[in-house]
Amino acid sequence: MREALDRALNQLLEETLRMLSLVREMTQEATEALVEGSEAKAEAVIAKDREVDALELKVENEAIAFIARHQPVASDLRLIFTVIKALTDLERAGDYAMHVAEDALFLTKEPPLKRYVTLPEMGRKLLEMMDTLAKAAAERDVALARKVVELDDQVDGLYEEITRELITYMMEDARTITKALTLMRVARSYERLGDHLENIAERVIYWLTGEVYKTPEDIY
């Protein structure tokens, strides 16, 4: 009985990690589309969002069926609710990766405002967050889950940096406003994507420890 339950739980976790992997692919390709001015990569990201949505529905239905069939308790139940809540955050994270791709597609129509430095760095930090999050969940490692939360602080810092820079561009030359606002929207999408990954990391900590983990900004 326990062996069958563990297999079912592991399958749910594996499918959730597959969804995380899809969002990672979308984020990487969206960043490449932005930097390279690639319409093809941007369109590929937009198409992949449907895969994420379909996987969310599939895993959610499996999680609900698991609860009805096995009536889990304690840490098993915490894992199930972590999966269900993570699905929502992953779906939203995929939406933000798609928004980056949509804005990248718009930006391919004209020469770039500037050489992109901070935005690709935000993208790289998000990939690091996802790699660390996947490892934290697969290895049941609380320290790695906490590291994801710390990495999100770095993403937030980069967001503030690029926002200040783009505001300066707009103040100095009104002709840059449209592009600058689009790039600010890209930065905001990255920042929000990171917030959703942080949410998942906090839920992984709850699953593994039973303790509700909140950062100071969550409390106030």
Side-chain angles (χ1 to χ4, degrees), residues 177-209:
I177 289 177
T178 299
K179 287 182 184 177
L181 286 175
T182 303
L183 292 171
M184 286 178 70
R185 192 162 58 236
V186 169
R188 179 60 174 166
S189 292
Y190 278 142
E191 190 270 339
R192 291 298 297 134
L193 201 163
D195 287 345
H196 285 288
L197 298 176
E198 180 186 33
N199 288 344
I200 299 171
E202 291 175 351
R203 285 162 184 151
V204 168
I205 293 169
Y206 170 69
W207 158 41
L208 297 174
T209 67

mmCIF file of all heavy atoms in Angstrom, residues 177-209:
data_model
loop_
_atom_site.group_PDB
_atom_site.id
_atom_site.type_symbol
_atom_site.label_atom_id
_atom_site.label_comp_id
_atom_site.label_asym_id
_atom_site.label_seq_id
_atom_site.Cartn_x
_atom_site.Cartn_y
_atom_site.Cartn_z
ATOM 1 N N ILE A 177 10.266 56.767 -25.631
ATOM 2 C CA ILE A 177 9.243 56.379 -24.657
ATOM 3 C C ILE A 177 8.593 55.041 -24.978
ATOM 4 O O ILE A 177 8.449 54.182 -24.095
ATOM 5 C CB ILE A 177 8.180 57.487 -24.524
ATOM 6 C CG1 ILE A 177 8.784 58.701 -23.800
ATOM 7 C CG2 ILE A 177 6.947 56.981 -23.781
ATOM 8 C CD1 ILE A 177 7.849 59.891 -23.682
ATOM 9 N N THR A 178 8.183 54.836 -26.226
ATOM 10 C CA THR A 178 7.477 53.592 -26.571
ATOM 11 C C THR A 178 8.342 52.364 -26.301
ATOM 12 O O THR A 178 7.904 51.399 -25.660
ATOM 13 C CB THR A 178 7.043 53.606 -28.048
ATOM 14 O OG1 THR A 178 6.154 54.710 -28.262
ATOM 15 C CG2 THR A 178 6.328 52.314 -28.409
ATOM 16 N N LYS A 179 9.592 52.416 -26.770
ATOM 17 C CA LYS A 179 10.484 51.273 -26.559
ATOM 18 C C LYS A 179 10.817 51.092 -25.083
ATOM 19 O O LYS A 179 10.844 49.965 -24.569
ATOM 20 C CB LYS A 179 11.774 51.447 -27.356
ATOM 21 C CG LYS A 179 11.623 51.248 -28.852
ATOM 22 C CD LYS A 179 12.979 51.394 -29.541
ATOM 23 C CE LYS A 179 12.837 51.293 -31.038
ATOM 24 N NZ LYS A 179 14.138 51.499 -31.737
ATOM 25 N N ALA A 180 11.058 52.206 -24.418
ATOM 26 C CA ALA A 180 11.421 52.127 -23.002
ATOM 27 C C ALA A 180 10.278 51.538 -22.175
ATOM 28 O O ALA A 180 10.510 50.714 -21.279
ATOM 29 C CB ALA A 180 11.803 53.509 -22.478
ATOM 30 N N LEU A 181 9.063 51.943 -22.462
ATOM 31 C CA LEU A 181 7.915 51.405 -21.736
ATOM 32 C C LEU A 181 7.748 49.907 -22.005
ATOM 33 O O LEU A 181 7.384 49.138 -21.105
ATOM 34 C CB LEU A 181 6.643 52.158 -22.128
ATOM 35 C CG LEU A 181 6.504 53.575 -21.568
ATOM 36 C CD1 LEU A 181 5.260 54.247 -22.123
ATOM 37 C CD2 LEU A 181 6.460 53.567 -20.040
ATOM 38 N N THR A 182 8.019 49.495 -23.236
ATOM 39 C CA THR A 182 7.947 48.064 -23.564
ATOM 40 C C THR A 182 8.996 47.289 -22.783
ATOM 41 O O THR A 182 8.720 46.213 -22.233
ATOM 42 C CB THR A 182 8.141 47.842 -25.077
ATOM 43 O OG1 THR A 182 7.163 48.595 -25.796
ATOM 44 C CG2 THR A 182 7.999 46.365 -25.431
ATOM 45 N N LEU A 183 10.209 47.837 -22.708
ATOM 46 C CA LEU A 183 11.271 47.178 -21.953
ATOM 47 C C LEU A 183 10.966 47.161 -20.454
ATOM 48 O O LEU A 183 11.297 46.192 -19.754
ATOM 49 C CB LEU A 183 12.608 47.868 -22.214
ATOM 50 C CG LEU A 183 13.157 47.698 -23.638
ATOM 51 C CD1 LEU A 183 14.366 48.591 -23.856
ATOM 52 C CD2 LEU A 183 13.523 46.235 -23.902
ATOM 53 N N MET A 184 10.327 48.192 -19.965
ATOM 54 C CA MET A 184 9.908 48.199 -18.555
ATOM 55 C C MET A 184 8.878 47.105 -18.306
ATOM 56 O O MET A 184 8.878 46.468 -17.242
ATOM 57 C CB MET A 184 9.342 49.569 -18.168
ATOM 58 C CG MET A 184 10.405 50.644 -18.012
ATOM 59 S SD MET A 184 9.725 52.281 -17.611
ATOM 60 C CE MET A 184 9.155 52.002 -15.935
ATOM 61 N N ARG A 185 8.019 46.882 -19.292
ATOM 62 C CA ARG A 185 7.028 45.814 -19.162
ATOM 63 C C ARG A 185 7.717 44.444 -19.151
ATOM 64 O O ARG A 185 7.309 43.541 -18.413
ATOM 65 C CB ARG A 185 6.011 45.901 -20.298
ATOM 66 C CG ARG A 185 4.782 45.030 -20.098
ATOM 67 C CD ARG A 185 3.643 45.455 -20.992
ATOM 68 N NE ARG A 185 4.009 45.425 -22.395
ATOM 69 C CZ ARG A 185 3.908 46.474 -23.207
ATOM 70 N NH1 ARG A 185 3.480 47.637 -22.757
ATOM 71 N NH2 ARG A 185 4.250 46.370 -24.480
ATOM 72 N N VAL A 186 8.764 44.295 -19.959
ATOM 73 C CA VAL A 186 9.547 43.058 -19.945
ATOM 74 C C VAL A 186 10.151 42.836 -18.563
ATOM 75 O O VAL A 186 10.074 41.734 -17.995
ATOM 76 C CB VAL A 186 10.665 43.096 -21.010
ATOM 77 C CG1 VAL A 186 11.641 41.938 -20.807
ATOM 78 C CG2 VAL A 186 10.074 43.051 -22.415
ATOM 79 N N ALA A 187 10.764 43.886 -18.022
ATOM 80 C CA ALA A 187 11.376 43.788 -16.699
ATOM 81 C C ALA A 187 10.337 43.432 -15.641
ATOM 82 O O ALA A 187 10.600 42.621 -14.740
ATOM 83 C CB ALA A 187 12.064 45.111 -16.343
ATOM 84 N N ARG A 188 9.163 44.022 -15.751
ATOM 85 C CA ARG A 188 8.088 43.723 -14.797
ATOM 86 C C ARG A 188 7.649 42.266 -14.918
ATOM 87 O O ARG A 188 7.379 41.600 -13.906
ATOM 88 C CB ARG A 188 6.901 44.664 -15.038
ATOM 89 C CG ARG A 188 5.712 44.431 -14.106
ATOM 90 C CD ARG A 188 6.080 44.625 -12.658
ATOM 91 N NE ARG A 188 4.921 44.537 -11.777
ATOM 92 C CZ ARG A 188 4.981 44.403 -10.470
ATOM 93 N NH1 ARG A 188 6.160 44.330 -9.854
ATOM 94 N NH2 ARG A 188 3.887 44.342 -9.740
ATOM 95 N N SER A 189 7.582 41.762 -16.139
ATOM 96 C CA SER A 189 7.216 40.359 -16.339
ATOM 97 C C SER A 189 8.239 39.439 -15.693
ATOM 98 O O SER A 189 7.885 38.447 -15.036
ATOM 99 C CB SER A 189 7.100 40.041 -17.839
ATOM 100 O OG SER A 189 5.996 40.706 -18.414
ATOM 101 N N TYR A 190 9.514 39.749 -15.861
ATOM 102 C CA TYR A 190 10.570 38.966 -15.215
ATOM 103 C C TYR A 190 10.415 39.014 -13.690
ATOM 104 O O TYR A 190 10.550 37.994 -13.007
ATOM 105 C CB TYR A 190 11.941 39.524 -15.584
ATOM 106 C CG TYR A 190 12.499 39.081 -16.912
ATOM 107 C CD1 TYR A 190 13.214 39.974 -17.711
ATOM 108 C CD2 TYR A 190 12.365 37.777 -17.369
ATOM 109 C CE1 TYR A 190 13.772 39.581 -18.924
ATOM 110 C CE2 TYR A 190 12.910 37.376 -18.580
ATOM 111 C CZ TYR A 190 13.614 38.284 -19.357
ATOM 112 O OH TYR A 190 14.163 37.890 -20.543
ATOM 113 N N GLU A 191 10.180 40.210 -13.173
ATOM 114 C CA GLU A 191 10.075 40.378 -11.721
ATOM 115 C C GLU A 191 8.900 39.581 -11.163
ATOM 116 O O GLU A 191 9.027 38.912 -10.136
ATOM 117 C CB GLU A 191 9.929 41.870 -11.396
ATOM 118 C CG GLU A 191 10.043 42.200 -9.913
ATOM 119 C CD GLU A 191 8.698 42.164 -9.200
ATOM 120 O OE1 GLU A 191 7.652 42.285 -9.878
ATOM 121 O OE2 GLU A 191 8.692 41.998 -7.968
ATOM 122 N N ARG A 192 7.772 39.614 -11.858
ATOM 123 C CA ARG A 192 6.598 38.871 -11.405
ATOM 124 C C ARG A 192 6.818 37.369 -11.538
ATOM 125 O O ARG A 192 6.372 36.588 -10.698
ATOM 126 C CB ARG A 192 5.353 39.304 -12.204
ATOM 127 C CG ARG A 192 4.887 40.709 -11.922
ATOM 128 C CD ARG A 192 4.471 40.890 -10.468
ATOM 129 N NE ARG A 192 3.322 40.048 -10.127
ATOM 130 C CZ ARG A 192 3.219 39.305 -9.045
ATOM 131 N NH1 ARG A 192 4.198 39.264 -8.158
ATOM 132 N NH2 ARG A 192 2.145 38.587 -8.815
ATOM 133 N N LEU A 193 7.514 36.954 -12.594
ATOM 134 C CA LEU A 193 7.831 35.540 -12.764
ATOM 135 C C LEU A 193 8.639 35.046 -11.562
ATOM 136 O O LEU A 193 8.370 33.980 -11.003
ATOM 137 C CB LEU A 193 8.618 35.341 -14.071
ATOM 138 C CG LEU A 193 8.640 33.945 -14.706
ATOM 139 C CD1 LEU A 193 9.092 34.053 -16.162
ATOM 140 C CD2 LEU A 193 9.528 32.967 -13.966
ATOM 141 N N GLY A 194 9.612 35.854 -11.159
ATOM 142 C CA GLY A 194 10.415 35.503 -9.994
ATOM 143 C C GLY A 194 9.589 35.390 -8.732
ATOM 144 O O GLY A 194 9.825 34.508 -7.896
ATOM 145 N N ASP A 195 8.599 36.266 -8.572
ATOM 146 C CA ASP A 195 7.727 36.207 -7.394
ATOM 147 C C ASP A 195 6.976 34.882 -7.330
ATOM 148 O O ASP A 195 6.787 34.305 -6.246
ATOM 149 C CB ASP A 195 6.725 37.362 -7.412
ATOM 150 C CG ASP A 195 7.370 38.702 -7.093
ATOM 151 O OD1 ASP A 195 8.512 38.711 -6.590
ATOM 152 O OD2 ASP A 195 6.742 39.742 -7.353
ATOM 153 N N HIS A 196 6.534 34.394 -8.483
ATOM 154 C CA HIS A 196 5.815 33.121 -8.499
ATOM 155 C C HIS A 196 6.742 31.957 -8.158
ATOM 156 O O HIS A 196 6.327 31.006 -7.475
ATOM 157 C CB HIS A 196 5.143 32.910 -9.857
ATOM 158 C CG HIS A 196 3.926 33.756 -10.051
ATOM 159 N ND1 HIS A 196 2.740 33.517 -9.374
ATOM 160 C CD2 HIS A 196 3.698 34.848 -10.819
ATOM 161 C CE1 HIS A 196 1.841 34.423 -9.728
ATOM 162 N NE2 HIS A 196 2.401 35.249 -10.602
ATOM 163 N N LEU A 197 7.981 32.029 -8.595
ATOM 164 C CA LEU A 197 8.949 30.992 -8.220
ATOM 165 C C LEU A 197 9.236 31.041 -6.720
ATOM 166 O O LEU A 197 9.376 30.001 -6.063
ATOM 167 C CB LEU A 197 10.249 31.176 -9.008
ATOM 168 C CG LEU A 197 10.134 31.041 -10.529
ATOM 169 C CD1 LEU A 197 11.477 31.337 -11.186
ATOM 170 C CD2 LEU A 197 9.638 29.651 -10.926
ATOM 171 N N GLU A 198 9.304 32.246 -6.173
ATOM 172 C CA GLU A 198 9.498 32.396 -4.729
ATOM 173 C C GLU A 198 8.329 31.773 -3.972
ATOM 174 O O GLU A 198 8.527 31.091 -2.945
ATOM 175 C CB GLU A 198 9.634 33.872 -4.363
ATOM 176 C CG GLU A 198 9.851 34.111 -2.872
ATOM 177 C CD GLU A 198 9.846 35.588 -2.498
ATOM 178 O OE1 GLU A 198 9.101 36.348 -3.144
ATOM 179 O OE2 GLU A 198 10.571 35.957 -1.575
ATOM 180 N N ASN A 199 7.106 31.987 -4.457
ATOM 181 C CA ASN A 199 5.937 31.382 -3.823
ATOM 182 C C ASN A 199 6.076 29.864 -3.739
ATOM 183 O O ASN A 199 5.774 29.246 -2.714
ATOM 184 C CB ASN A 199 4.664 31.721 -4.608
ATOM 185 C CG ASN A 199 4.241 33.159 -4.463
ATOM 186 O OD1 ASN A 199 4.701 33.866 -3.567
ATOM 187 N ND2 ASN A 199 3.364 33.610 -5.349
ATOM 188 N N ILE A 200 6.516 29.277 -4.843
ATOM 189 C CA ILE A 200 6.663 27.819 -4.874
ATOM 190 C C ILE A 200 7.730 27.377 -3.886
ATOM 191 O O ILE A 200 7.567 26.382 -3.168
ATOM 192 C CB ILE A 200 7.005 27.339 -6.294
ATOM 193 C CG1 ILE A 200 5.880 27.708 -7.263
ATOM 194 C CG2 ILE A 200 7.228 25.824 -6.303
ATOM 195 C CD1 ILE A 200 6.226 27.472 -8.718
ATOM 196 N N ALA A 201 8.840 28.105 -3.836
ATOM 197 C CA ALA A 201 9.921 27.756 -2.899
ATOM 198 C C ALA A 201 9.416 27.788 -1.462
ATOM 199 O O ALA A 201 9.746 26.904 -0.656
ATOM 200 C CB ALA A 201 11.092 28.722 -3.074
ATOM 201 N N GLU A 202 8.609 28.776 -1.128
ATOM 202 C CA GLU A 202 8.059 28.867 0.227
ATOM 203 C C GLU A 202 7.156 27.672 0.525
ATOM 204 O O GLU A 202 7.143 27.154 1.654
ATOM 205 C CB GLU A 202 7.290 30.178 0.391
ATOM 206 C CG GLU A 202 8.196 31.414 0.395
ATOM 207 C CD GLU A 202 7.424 32.718 0.429
ATOM 208 O OE1 GLU A 202 6.181 32.680 0.270
ATOM 209 O OE2 GLU A 202 8.050 33.774 0.599
ATOM 210 N N ARG A 203 6.435 27.211 -0.493
ATOM 211 C CA ARG A 203 5.558 26.060 -0.287
ATOM 212 C C ARG A 203 6.350 24.761 -0.192
ATOM 213 O O ARG A 203 5.938 23.832 0.509
ATOM 214 C CB ARG A 203 4.532 26.007 -1.415
ATOM 215 C CG ARG A 203 3.459 27.081 -1.229
ATOM 216 C CD ARG A 203 2.680 27.372 -2.468
ATOM 217 N NE ARG A 203 1.756 28.479 -2.215
ATOM 218 C CZ ARG A 203 1.351 29.327 -3.149
ATOM 219 N NH1 ARG A 203 1.789 29.207 -4.387
ATOM 220 N NH2 ARG A 203 0.517 30.303 -2.848
ATOM 221 N N VAL A 204 7.478 24.690 -0.887
ATOM 222 C CA VAL A 204 8.351 23.526 -0.753
ATOM 223 C C VAL A 204 8.893 23.455 0.676
ATOM 224 O O VAL A 204 8.971 22.380 1.283
ATOM 225 C CB VAL A 204 9.503 23.579 -1.776
ATOM 226 C CG1 VAL A 204 10.576 22.526 -1.454
ATOM 227 C CG2 VAL A 204 8.969 23.349 -3.192
ATOM 228 N N ILE A 205 9.252 24.613 1.225
ATOM 229 C CA ILE A 205 9.728 24.659 2.611
ATOM 230 C C ILE A 205 8.633 24.167 3.558
ATOM 231 O O ILE A 205 8.896 23.386 4.485
ATOM 232 C CB ILE A 205 10.176 26.091 2.985
ATOM 233 C CG1 ILE A 205 11.419 26.479 2.171
ATOM 234 C CG2 ILE A 205 10.472 26.202 4.483
ATOM 235 C CD1 ILE A 205 11.787 27.952 2.257
ATOM 236 N N TYR A 206 7.394 24.585 3.306
ATOM 237 C CA TYR A 206 6.271 24.133 4.135
ATOM 238 C C TYR A 206 6.081 22.621 4.011
ATOM 239 O O TYR A 206 5.880 21.921 5.019
ATOM 240 C CB TYR A 206 4.995 24.857 3.727
ATOM 241 C CG TYR A 206 3.759 24.291 4.365
ATOM 242 C CD1 TYR A 206 3.527 24.427 5.732
ATOM 243 C CD2 TYR A 206 2.832 23.566 3.607
ATOM 244 C CE1 TYR A 206 2.395 23.881 6.332
ATOM 245 C CE2 TYR A 206 1.708 23.019 4.198
ATOM 246 C CZ TYR A 206 1.498 23.183 5.558
ATOM 247 O OH TYR A 206 0.391 22.621 6.142
ATOM 248 N N TRP A 207 6.156 22.111 2.782
ATOM 249 C CA TRP A 207 6.013 20.672 2.561
ATOM 250 C C TRP A 207 7.066 19.882 3.354
ATOM 251 O O TRP A 207 6.746 18.899 4.013
ATOM 252 C CB TRP A 207 6.138 20.382 1.058
ATOM 253 C CG TRP A 207 6.521 18.970 0.712
ATOM 254 C CD1 TRP A 207 6.067 17.821 1.305
ATOM 255 C CD2 TRP A 207 7.424 18.559 -0.312
ATOM 256 N NE1 TRP A 207 6.637 16.715 0.703
ATOM 257 C CE2 TRP A 207 7.475 17.133 -0.294
ATOM 258 C CE3 TRP A 207 8.178 19.255 -1.263
ATOM 259 C CZ2 TRP A 207 8.276 16.406 -1.181
ATOM 260 C CZ3 TRP A 207 8.960 18.526 -2.150
ATOM 261 C CH2 TRP A 207 9.013 17.125 -2.100
ATOM 262 N N LEU A 208 8.303 20.356 3.322
ATOM 263 C CA LEU A 208 9.403 19.606 3.928
ATOM 264 C C LEU A 208 9.503 19.773 5.440
ATOM 265 O O LEU A 208 9.993 18.876 6.133
ATOM 266 C CB LEU A 208 10.728 20.013 3.276
ATOM 267 C CG LEU A 208 10.849 19.688 1.769
ATOM 268 C CD1 LEU A 208 12.136 20.277 1.210
ATOM 269 C CD2 LEU A 208 10.790 18.186 1.530
ATOM 270 N N THR A 209 9.049 20.914 5.962
ATOM 271 C CA THR A 209 9.243 21.194 7.382
ATOM 272 C C THR A 209 7.944 21.307 8.174
ATOM 273 O O THR A 209 7.953 21.196 9.409
ATOM 274 C CB THR A 209 10.022 22.500 7.585
ATOM 275 O OG1 THR A 209 9.211 23.603 7.130
ATOM 276 C CG2 THR A 209 11.337 22.484 6.805
#
